[in-house]
Amino acid sequence: MAQAYEIDLLDDSGIRPKASFDYADSLKHDVARSLVNYFEKRTLEDLAFRFSLQLDDGGLITNIFWADGKMIRDFKIYGDVVSFDTTYRTNKEYRSLALFVGLNNHREMVIFGATLLYEESAESFEWLFNAFFKNMSAEKPQTFITDQDFVISFVVSLIMPQTYHRLCIWHLEKNAFKHLNHVFRAHASFSGDFSKLL
């Protein structure tokens, strides 16, 4: 949306469409260079900081993963159960922001890593999970919790065949309320029974 708005502004200013697209393309390259420079600077400041980039054929960043030293240490200590979920439309580029999350000994949420994804394809998730484990230099988790996404499920079975793949309770409850709303309304005890079952 932001790029479309900029192109409209350039068109209103009398700049031809080809020049507008060239301008937008140069901005993408500038952003990619700035991002790489930022992460390289972070690597110098924090020797434990890790990141991986996936580039397209034009040299533009399509996916990026990063984790700082604390995230890597936390994963080595608490990474036996990992929850992975994408959050939609949380940034101005409408890219999927996904976090690898776990719990510490005090049942507090800890973040193991973060990623921005261009698309949620099998290739992107395969690249991401491989980048995650490579940067963590650690064993794969015992349990991996995700939303109900066929593509993620497929890639988890491919990359982590020994890991238990489970669905997030929040997504299960959301689907139950969506598809069984009439049952929840008709039977007052169903909600409690359903929660105990989960």
Side-chain angles (χ1 to χ4, degrees), residues 137-160:
S137 302
E139 296 293 318
K140 295 183 170 92
Q142 293 175 0
T143 304
F144 199 73
I145 301 168
T146 67
D147 61 0
Q148 192 172 355
D149 184 297
F150 175 76
V151 175
I152 293 175
S153 297
F154 170 73
V155 175
V156 167
S157 69
L158 191 69
I159 302 294
M160 300 173 257

Side-chain angles (χ1 to χ4, degrees), residues 134-193:
K134 176 184 168 206
N135 285 294
M136 291 296 156
S137 302
E139 296 293 318
K140 295 183 170 92
Q142 293 175 0
T143 304
F144 199 73
I145 301 168
T146 67
D147 61 0
Q148 192 172 355
D149 184 297
F150 175 76
V151 175
I152 293 175
S153 297
F154 170 73
V155 175
V156 167
S157 69
L158 191 69
I159 302 294
M160 300 173 257
Q162 268 55 43
T163 298
Y164 294 107
H165 179 223
R166 299 293 181 251
L167 299 179
C168 174
I169 288 178
W170 184 84
H171 286 95
L172 293 174
E173 288 176 342
K174 183 179 170 187
N175 284 338
F177 288 130
K178 180 179 175 183
H179 298 289
L180 300 173
N181 194 15
H182 60 285
V183 178
F184 280 97
R185 287 184 188 174
H187 305 284
S189 65
F190 184 76
S191 180
D193 294 339

Side-chain angles (χ1 to χ4, degrees), residues 2-194:
Q3 289 173 341
Y5 181 71
E6 285 178 357
I7 290 172
D8 285 342
L9 282 175
L10 292 170
D11 185 50
D12 293 343
S13 301
I15 297 174
R16 295 181 174 260
K18 169 122 176 58
S20 297
F21 287 114
D22 290 343
Y23 169 75
D25 194 45
S26 71
L27 283 180
K28 289 180 194 175
H29 286 288
D30 290 344
V31 169
R33 275 192 296 276
S34 297
L35 199 54
V36 170
N37 290 339
Y38 170 76
F39 282 123
E40 287 174 347
K41 181 180 174 195
R42 283 289 312 266
T43 303
L44 294 173
E45 294 169 357
D46 177 3
L47 296 178
F49 184 84
R50 302 281 184 266
F51 72 98
S52 292
L53 302 172
Q54 184 180 36
L55 305 175
D56 66 8
D57 294 336
L60 296 177
I61 297 172
T62 56
N63 299 317
I64 185 165
F65 167 80
W66 69 93
D68 63 20
K70 183 183 180 318
M71 293 173 180
I72 294 168
R73 280 190 308 277
D74 285 345
F75 181 77
K76 289 182 180 180
I77 298 169
Y78 309 113
D80 55 336
V81 176
V82 175
S83 177
F84 174 76
D85 192 15
T86 54
T87 305
Y88 299 94
R89 290 177 168 70
T90 57
N91 51 64
K92 66 181 182 179
E93 286 79 25
Y94 296 99
R95 299 286 186 251
S96 295
L97 171 69
L99 298 175
F100 294 89
V101 180
L103 295 176
N104 66 16
N105 290 344
H106 303 287
R107 300 184 138 258
E108 297 168 332
M109 185 177 74
V110 289
I111 298 174
F112 300 136
T115 184
L116 287 171
L117 299 171
Y118 179 74
E119 63 180 3
E120 294 188 22
S121 66
E123 295 79 22
S124 289
F125 286 122
E126 186 174 352
W127 172 87
L128 173 62
F129 296 156
N130 283 323
F132 176 73
F133 294 119
K134 176 184 168 206
N135 285 294
M136 291 296 156
S137 302
E139 296 293 318
K140 295 183 170 92
Q142 293 175 0
T143 304
F144 199 73
I145 301 168
T146 67
D147 61 0
Q148 192 172 355
D149 184 297
F150 175 76
V151 175
I152 293 175
S153 297
F154 170 73
V155 175
V156 167
S157 69
L158 191 69
I159 302 294
M160 300 173 257
Q162 268 55 43
T163 298
Y164 294 107
H165 179 223
R166 299 293 181 251
L167 299 179
C168 174
I169 288 178
W170 184 84
H171 286 95
L172 293 174
E173 288 176 342
K174 183 179 170 187
N175 284 338
F177 288 130
K178 180 179 175 183
H179 298 289
L180 300 173
N181 194 15
H182 60 285
V183 178
F184 280 97
R185 287 184 188 174
H187 305 284
S189 65
F190 184 76
S191 180
D193 294 339
F194 183 73

